[in-house]
Amino acid sequence: MDYTKRIFEALNYIQSENDFQPEFGIILGTGLGALVDKIRIEHTIEYKEIPHFPISTVESHSGRLIFGELSGKKVVAMQGRFHYYEGYDMKQVTFPVRVLKLLGVKKLFVSNAAGGLNLNFQVADLMIIEDHIDLTKENPLTGANLDEFGGRFPDMSEPYERNMIDQALAIAKEEGIRCHEGVYAGVSGPNLETRAEYRFLKIIGADAVGMSTVPEVIVARHMNLPVFAISAITDLCDPDHLEVAELSKILAAAAKAENGMTILLQKLISLQ
Ligand code: HPA
């Protein structure tokens, strides 16, 4: 079936289940798991119930849409997101973003885990994504343009809304949360990078590197949806002093960053 038709079938199913009209969409990536507890949940829908929706392969992710109120605003949150390295193609990875837009969200909030390349960063710091470099292996906009969503050659001069970045930096300062702004390099994974690759990423201007977010942001911008995205710096990737990556350490760093990220997002959304 035609991709656009599948998007509308998913939308129709969700709208037949509840008439909740979210103002904001949130992709609960690493660091934002605890934000769920701050949402006054009105309704949830399992991904597996929604026609054509991809299903999460990562067991720790439940895979559902959560509709409710956060900081006095109506939100829809994706609990469980899709990565290219899991075997989905980029059109599957970004399918839910199209559906969120059609549900009426006015802004998209995204989080992720990333390796820190900037030597000023410490483990468990936050980095607000100010710009990105797409090094992924497939572009979600490849193929016939979906004219009903946006133009053929989407503008990328401000992929991340400047006003929200400034608001978030001010919140972090007020709250004493360690937070930077920087450039995120998006890669396909699943392997981490070699020392030569980390060196390359630093030279081309990246402050952090991770395996998500860029495809979702490209599709959001295709639809002219403003985006705010933030990384939890889970490990430091200094090519001259590279340590063996340990998943347990990465997860511990993500957990440490969670509290600050949750506060920051709650306050940022209250200002929109
Ligand atoms: N590379 C890519 N993705 C990551 C990293 C990294 O070093 N750390 C956390 N996510």
Side-chain angles (χ1 to χ4, degrees):
M1 189 196 290
D2 176 62
Y3 186 66
T4 304
K5 267 203 182 131
R6 280 187 270 151
I7 293 166
F8 277 93
E9 281 197 7
L11 173 75
N12 289 342
Y13 174 80
I14 294 166
Q15 290 183 327
S16 71
E17 284 290 298
N18 76 91
D19 57 7
F20 189 89
Q21 295 193 338
E23 295 171 86
F24 302 114
I26 308 169
I27 302 178
L28 299 167
T30 303
L32 278 187
L35 193 67
V36 176
D37 303 330
K38 310 290 179 193
I39 300 176
R40 199 166 56 72
I41 299 178
E42 298 223 350
H43 191 82
T44 64
I45 305 180
E46 302 282 320
Y47 292 164
K48 60 177 185 288
E49 309 291 339
I50 306 171
H52 316 298
F53 228 69
I55 293 166
S56 200
T57 64
V58 183
E59 279 174 38
S60 58
H61 292 196
S62 345
R64 57 182 188 155
L65 287 182
I66 297 172
F67 298 86
E69 208 179 283
L70 175 70
S71 308
K73 311 284 180 180
K74 288 176 149 190
V75 301
V76 54
M78 284 179 62
Q79 191 175 38
R81 71 123 67 88
F82 305 99
H83 303 90
Y84 183 76
Y85 63 75
E86 294 175 83
Y88 305 104
D89 66 38
M90 288 302 195
K91 287 214 164 46
Q92 291 175 298
V93 167
T94 56
F95 184 93
V97 181
R98 300 278 189 200
V99 175
L100 294 194
K101 165 75 180 178
L102 292 177
L103 280 169
V105 306
K106 300 286 179 287
K107 293 189 178 186
L108 181 68
F109 298 82
V110 187
S111 79
N112 61 47
L117 299 160
N118 187 315
L119 295 178
N120 296 322
F121 293 180
Q122 294 176 15
V123 168
D125 281 357
L126 303 183
M127 186 191 88
I128 297 166
I129 303 179
E130 173 263 318
D131 205 345
H132 73 224
I133 302 172
D134 180 11
L135 298 171
T136 61
K137 293 184 177 147
E138 187 190 314
N139 190 299
L141 305 181
T142 304
N145 183 53
L146 305 180
D147 295 330
E148 54 275 73
F149 289 97
R152 174 75 284 190
F153 302 108
D155 176 70
M156 279 286 162
S157 58
E158 191 180 316
Y160 303 87
E161 193 194 84
R162 187 67 236 175
N163 188 43
M164 286 198 281
I165 297 172
D166 290 338
Q167 288 176 325
L169 286 169
I171 294 164
K173 201 167 170 198
E174 266 168 38
E175 298 288 327
I177 299 166
R178 278 188 61 93
C179 186
H180 315 270
E181 66 174 294
V183 174
Y184 175 92
V187 295
S188 294
N191 59 284
L192 300 184
E193 288 67 34
T194 64
R195 283 173 296 130
E197 286 166 343
Y198 285 130
R199 204 170 285 123
F200 163 76
L201 292 169
K202 284 177 74 162
I203 290 168
I204 64 171
D207 296 292
V209 53
M211 302 174 197
S212 67
T213 303
V214 165
E216 290 113 315
V217 172
I218 290 173
V219 164
R221 296 306 302 144
H222 180 244
M223 302 183 291
N224 211 18
L225 187 60
V227 177
F228 176 82
I230 185 162
S231 299
I233 303 298
T234 54
D235 52 312
L236 298 179
C237 312
D238 179 352
D240 298 320
H241 303 93
L242 191 60
E243 294 177 11
V244 175
E246 282 180 48
L247 188 60
S248 62
K249 280 194 188 164
I250 289 178
L251 294 178
K256 198 172 161 201
E258 192 162 71
N259 190 41
M261 205 191 265
T262 305
I263 293 170
L264 204 152
L265 258 287
Q266 267 182 287
K267 300 225 157 177
L268 181 62
I269 287 176
S270 77
L271 296 180
Q272 305 314 306

